[in-house]
Amino acid sequence: MRYLTKEWYELCQQTHLHFGLRVHNGAYESDEDLFLRLYKRKEKAHVKQERELYNLDPRFMLEHDGQVLTRVDKAFSDEEVTEEDQMVFHMPPEQRAHIEKLIAEYDVRPPFDEKKCKEEYKELMEWNFQYKAENLPQEIVEQIADIRVFTLGYCTREVMLQLNKQSAENRREMERISKEFREVMIAQDISDEIHSRVQYHDCTVTELLTGDEVVIRFDTRGGFSNINKLTLVAPEIIKQEGEIVGSYWLYQELYRIDNGYELHVLFDGENMPELIVRCTDILVEEE
């Protein structure tokens, strides 16, 4: 990758460092009693939210079946609504069957396990404590009296100002790189149709075959494409780094070369795998 690199991706994650934080006068010093009070408050809110989700009856999803729908332009106009302007929504049988299965499971579910919920919250927060300590700018971490209190959403006014400033700087740099990338892509003079063949954001790579052709197959559920097979013809692999199978396709860069294309791909997986391939053609199909 030349522009949408691992470093650029990490920069994107650092543009809202101040998000969700509140200034708290107690954050100037490490105070175990303060941490415990704030932790209990956050834990209580988490348990309440999880209990509400657990007890959400899926029957509400059946409410639209049989509902009379009116054309939008008629619904928001003063004109009389006729039968031709309306239709009755009938839920597809497979969708209704899925909801009825959810209802059956809901009706026999065990009571909400508050103890387990608290244990899971504790594990999540311990991971978050470590993540914040390792991923925040070190000069800011050194000013935080208790990283646990910070992770719960509280900091000093000075730290808040620095985080706002750092977020703004990171955003400007991210946007500068993004703008340069867009300009370079336009200069490649590659058709939108060809670009559309390498749009697999959030699709999971299920298979990667190399040889006379590079063939990549995808699980497209949750992704931005229904095409699940990509073939790179007459390939020359320039870079293949990390465990690509099982990773999510994040971003791609596509360049014009003398006899075809050069495709760069960044994946979301352990250590962010990367693939760069030169090829004479790009073929796609839905298997």
Side-chain angles (χ1 to χ4, degrees):
M1 304 293 283
R2 300 175 187 173
Y3 296 94
L4 310 186
T5 62
K6 299 176 186 179
E7 292 74 21
W8 176 83
Y9 179 77
E10 290 169 359
L11 189 66
C12 293
Q13 315 309 308
Q14 302 285 318
T15 58
H16 294 83
L17 296 172
H18 57 292
F19 183 77
L21 285 171
R22 295 173 57 189
V23 171
H24 195 296
N25 290 332
Y28 284 94
E29 298 179 0
S30 180
D31 184 333
E32 191 66 19
D33 289 338
L34 173 65
F35 163 68
L36 291 174
R37 287 199 306 274
L38 295 176
Y39 181 90
K40 287 296 182 183
R41 182 188 303 171
K42 295 287 186 175
E43 179 190 61
K44 181 179 179 181
H46 174 78
V47 171
K48 180 176 182 292
Q49 182 183 55
E50 292 298 305
R51 188 192 304 276
E52 290 173 351
L53 289 173
Y54 188 76
N55 291 328
L56 182 61
D57 193 327
R59 287 175 176 81
F60 79 92
M61 291 187 282
L62 293 175
E63 293 174 0
H64 297 299
D65 195 19
Q67 191 175 54
V68 177
L69 305 178
T70 303
R71 281 174 45 188
V72 175
D73 59 331
K74 289 289 186 178
F76 292 95
S77 72
D78 295 328
E79 298 178 29
E80 182 181 355
V81 177
T82 66
E83 289 186 11
E84 289 74 19
D85 300 323
Q86 296 180 318
M87 65 169 287
V88 178
F89 171 71
H90 294 291
M91 186 176 290
E94 61 274 14
Q95 184 179 356
R96 186 176 185 89
H98 174 68
I99 295 172
E100 289 174 346
K101 179 176 181 292
L102 294 177
I103 292 172
E105 293 171 351
Y106 174 85
D107 287 342
V108 297
R109 76 197 190 288
F112 177 74
D113 192 336
E114 182 173 324
K115 180 180 178 182
K116 181 181 178 183
C117 183
K118 289 182 177 180
E119 290 172 351
E120 291 173 345
Y121 180 73
K122 181 173 183 291
E123 292 175 3
L124 173 64
M125 292 309 299
E126 287 176 347
W127 183 90
N128 281 334
F129 297 154
Q130 183 175 348
Y131 179 84
K132 292 290 187 182
E134 294 175 353
N135 289 275
L136 280 172
Q138 190 57 37
E139 63 272 17
I140 293 179
V141 172
E142 292 171 357
Q143 300 175 55
I144 297 174
D146 190 336
I147 196 66
R148 302 173 302 170
V149 170
F150 178 88
T151 305
L152 289 172
Y154 304 93
C155 67
T156 65
R157 186 173 302 279
E158 292 78 6
V159 167
M160 178 71 86
L161 290 172
Q162 291 180 62
L163 290 172
N164 271 285
K165 180 181 178 182
Q166 187 67 59
S167 294
E169 292 176 357
N170 292 346
R171 190 177 305 109
R172 284 193 294 270
E173 179 62 8
M174 178 200 72
E175 291 173 351
R176 182 194 68 78
I177 294 172
S178 299
K179 181 175 182 291
E180 187 175 343
F181 165 69
R182 289 192 295 270
E183 292 171 349
V184 169
M185 288 298 101
I186 291 172
Q188 299 306 304
D189 193 27
I190 298 173
S191 70
D192 291 341
E193 197 278 328
I194 293 295
H195 273 295
S196 70
R197 297 182 188 182
V198 291
Q199 301 289 332
Y200 295 97
H201 187 70
D202 279 355
C203 292
T204 307
V205 177
T206 58
E207 187 176 41
L208 172 62
L209 303 175
T210 59
D212 293 339
E213 296 178 330
V214 168
V215 177
I216 306 177
R217 288 185 170 86
F218 303 93
D219 179 348
T220 62
R221 290 174 296 180
F224 287 71
S225 174
N226 293 321
I227 305 299
N228 55 12
K229 181 182 178 183
L230 170 67
T231 301
L232 306 178
V233 179
E236 177 189 356
I237 297 177
I238 306 301
K239 183 177 184 181
Q240 183 177 342
E241 179 181 275
E243 188 59 48
I244 293 173
V245 174
S247 298
Y248 294 92
W249 180 297
L250 269 183
Y251 304 111
Q252 71 281 335
E253 300 174 4
L254 189 60
Y255 299 93
R256 175 77 73 180
I257 57 176
D258 290 341
N259 63 335
Y261 307 95
E262 182 173 295
L263 174 65
H264 298 223
V265 187
L266 182 67
F267 298 89
D268 185 4
E270 186 175 357
N271 298 319
M272 302 199 75
E274 190 172 344
L275 179 67
I276 301 176
V277 181
R278 290 176 180 162
C279 61
T280 59
D281 201 2
I282 298 171
L283 306 176
V284 296
E285 61 182 293
E286 186 174 352
E287 295 183 323

